[in-house]
Structure formats: structure tokens, C-alpha cells
Amino acid sequence: MNNPAKLFAVSALLAVPALAQTNPGLMLVPWAPETNVQLSGSAFVQDTESSQTGLDADFAIFDAAGRFRLDGDSSLDPTLGFDYTHLEIDTADAALPEHLVDVSLAFGGRLNEIDLGETLGGTWQWGYTLGFGYAGTAPFADGDAWYGLGSIYGVLPFDRDSRLVVALEYDGNRVFLPDVPLPAITYFDRLNEEVTYGLGFPFSNLTWTPNDRWTLRITSFVFVSAEAKVTYRATDDLELFAAYDSRSEAFQLANDNGSRRLIFEQQRLEAGVNYKLGGRWELTAAGGYAFDQEFDRGYDIRETTSIRDLDDGGYFRLGINLRF
């Protein structure tokens, strides 16, 4: 079997968010050389208030994710990944829960190559992920808050820089059609020495690197998130960046209707610095403006009822990435 890491060594794939380790990205994002563990964490802090009531709210979001390559020498490439999101809301507003937690765990691996014939492109490479999670207000106490995860994907490489990725993914806590397995298809290619891209559904991206200092990346997950980020590499260890991103999260409220969830949506504009330590550690400090922060109730984002809005305002964020 060809080396899977090389087959995915196209810069378009590197724009997949690092904090996404229990979906197909667990297997599709290439590993850095001599790396078997990747860990990421981020803490967002904001002093805001409820738009409807005017009550103060100390709002924090903690994100963590990681993946562990259990046997990098095996052609099956067994890998374990986790995602953790924690929303903390300190307020007298009874409509807003104090704690919201989403934690998930997944296992992934590769399957043997399968030749589907010239009609279907030739030799495909296949893989899978399988996991479970819990998203709710009372950790591990609400049976309706448990959900399943799973995917199967295929990759058809055309040459060194282009490939087609197809997948069927189930995510029981997705903010859009959580109970329905959804197909995905993305074509990745290099337009020239400066531009790589991925075009498809639900994931698309574009990376433009006009020189060794500047990078622009635009990433979109339909119904889930979007990001645009400009990075300037001031030195080998220091990067400056400006970014826009949006996110959507869903949680099951304790003792609520199992078919109705609390859905949080947020958009951000931020600027900051990344500082690399020894090539395997990276620290981030950023400040920005958060807006369109909404808590709604519904089955998914297609039809919801507004619960509370948090006022727009400034925030501070710290992050860390490490690999070894």
C-alpha cells in the first residue's frame, strides 16, 4: 500500500480545523513528520450580558482536542481521537444553564485498497471512524444527551496534487439533520504554486500563499462553521494573524424533550500572535470581537425558537498546540 500520509500531503487538506478529531478529519488530515500525538486547547473569556434581560454574564468557552496514532507502522493506521467543548455561563439569568459540555471519543483506521475499475476511477483508498459522545447540561446523567458517531470514506488520488474524497458520515449531535447519515464529496487540487483548493459539500477551502511570509486560508463547513484567516510569518517562530470564524454547537437540556436541543451560534473577529517553541509547541494569544451570539431551542438550525442573545463585545483567547 502507498504511504497514506503522502497521498494526503496537499496543503488544501491542512486547512481542516485542528479541533475536529472525532469526524473523518481524524484520518484525513495528514500527520506532521515523526509525530504520533497531536493536542490542541483554547480558552475564550468574555464579560457580557443577556440582551433580553440586561443581566451580567461571565462567559467562557473551553475547547480541547487530540489524536493518538496507536501504530504508525501498520497499514491499518489505528488512531484514537477526542473532542471536548465546555461552555461556562455565570449569570443570574435562569434561562441560561451554567454548564454545557460536549465530549466525544472516536477510533479510526484504514482499510485495504479496492480497485473499482476504470469506470469508477480505479484504485480507491478507504477508511472509517467510529465513536460516541455526550452533549448536555449534566455530565453523563441524561440518557438523551448520548449520541453516536461514524463515517466511512474513500480517496481516489489522480496525481501528486489532486484527489477526490467521498464519505458518508453520521453525527448524532450535528446541528443539521443529526439523525441522518449525510454524504460528502470534495475535490482537492493545486491550481499553481501559490494556490490549492478543495471544492465540494459540505467542506470547501482555499489556500493562497503568495510568498513565504503571507498565507490566506478560507474554510467552510456548511451548516457548522466558516473561517477566513490571514497569517504573516514575522520570524521562523513568530506569526501574526487576523481571522474571522463562526461556530454552532448543540446540547441536550436536562429533563427536556429529547427531540429539542439548545443550539449555540457565534461569530468572531480576532487578531493575535502564534509563537512556536522548539518546533513542537505553539502558543496563541488573541483578542477580538464576538457577535451574533445566540442560544436557540430546536431540533436543528433549520427551525428554532430564540431563548437568549448575548451582547456583542470584546474577548480574550489563549491557545496551545503541541505534537510529539
Side-chain angles (χ1 to χ4, degrees):
M1 176 181 290
N2 293 325
N3 187 332
K6 291 182 179 179
L7 291 174
F8 290 103
V10 71
S11 59
L13 275 170
L14 295 176
V16 176
L19 295 176
Q21 302 295 4
T22 56
N23 63 19
L26 172 66
M27 301 304 301
L28 289 175
V29 176
W31 288 88
E34 300 181 359
T35 299
N36 292 301
V37 176
Q38 289 181 335
L39 297 170
S40 300
S42 178
F44 161 103
V45 179
Q46 182 188 40
D47 184 8
T48 183
E49 63 182 38
S50 167
S51 299
Q52 288 86 349
T53 66
L55 294 172
D56 291 339
D58 293 330
F59 184 39
I61 303 175
F62 304 99
D63 291 304
R67 60 175 177 166
F68 307 86
R69 206 172 194 178
L70 304 180
D71 186 358
D73 294 328
S74 169
S75 62
L76 302 179
D77 199 13
T79 305
L80 187 67
F82 75 91
D83 280 323
Y84 176 81
T85 296
H86 183 155
L87 275 60
E88 188 80 12
I89 312 168
D90 184 4
T91 180
D93 189 343
L96 294 174
E98 184 176 358
H99 311 289
L100 292 167
V101 176
D102 183 0
V103 57
S104 57
L105 184 70
F107 178 82
R110 305 191 190 280
L111 304 173
N112 291 330
E113 293 180 345
I114 300 177
D115 189 347
L116 298 182
E118 293 184 3
T119 303
L120 295 177
T123 301
W124 289 71
Q125 297 177 351
W126 296 89
Y128 67 93
T129 62
L130 186 65
F132 63 93
Y134 180 94
T137 55
F140 313 118
D142 186 350
D144 290 331
W146 291 96
Y147 62 91
L149 296 163
S151 69
I152 185 167
Y153 66 85
V155 181
L156 178 62
F158 299 112
D159 54 38
R160 186 178 66 87
D161 291 328
S162 64
R163 62 216 69 246
L164 180 69
V165 178
V166 299
L168 184 66
E169 181 187 10
Y170 175 83
D171 182 345
N173 197 48
R174 191 191 297 116
V175 295
F176 175 73
L177 293 176
D179 291 335
V180 179
L182 292 182
I185 180 169
T186 303
Y187 173 73
F188 293 95
D189 202 356
R190 180 183 296 277
L191 185 62
N192 52 44
E193 291 300 315
E194 299 178 356
V195 178
T196 59
Y197 67 92
L199 183 62
F201 175 87
F203 174 77
S204 295
N205 72 354
L206 173 71
T207 301
W208 178 41
T209 308
N211 53 51
D212 61 357
R213 295 289 185 183
W214 291 94
T215 300
L216 168 66
R217 283 179 177 158
I218 301 173
T219 305
S220 172
F221 278 92
V222 177
F223 307 119
V224 178
S225 66
E227 180 181 11
K229 186 174 184 179
V230 177
T231 302
Y232 174 74
R233 188 167 65 87
T235 69
D236 289 343
D237 298 324
L238 180 66
E239 293 180 341
L240 311 178
F241 70 87
Y244 160 83
D245 72 78
S246 68
R247 66 187 295 168
S248 301
E249 310 283 350
F251 306 89
Q252 182 67 46
L253 294 177
N255 303 316
D256 197 6
N257 185 330
S259 63
R260 292 293 181 268
R261 299 177 296 166
L262 187 68
I263 298 176
F264 171 68
E265 296 183 79
Q266 181 192 62
Q267 299 188 68
R268 304 178 187 174
L269 291 170
E270 74 173 26
V273 297
N274 296 323
Y275 185 71
K276 298 179 181 179
L277 299 172
R280 295 187 176 270
W281 292 71
E282 183 177 270
L283 303 178
T284 299
Y289 186 78
F291 58 100
D292 288 349
Q293 302 183 104
E294 304 176 2
F295 288 91
D296 302 322
R297 183 174 180 268
Y299 172 69
D300 66 13
I301 60 174
R302 293 174 301 165
E303 184 175 353
T304 60
T305 301
S306 177
I307 301 299
R308 287 289 187 269
D309 296 338
L310 297 181
D311 281 353
D312 304 343
Y315 68 87
F316 183 67
R317 185 175 67 87
L318 291 176
I320 185 171
N321 294 285
L322 63 128
R323 61 181 179 86
F324 52 89

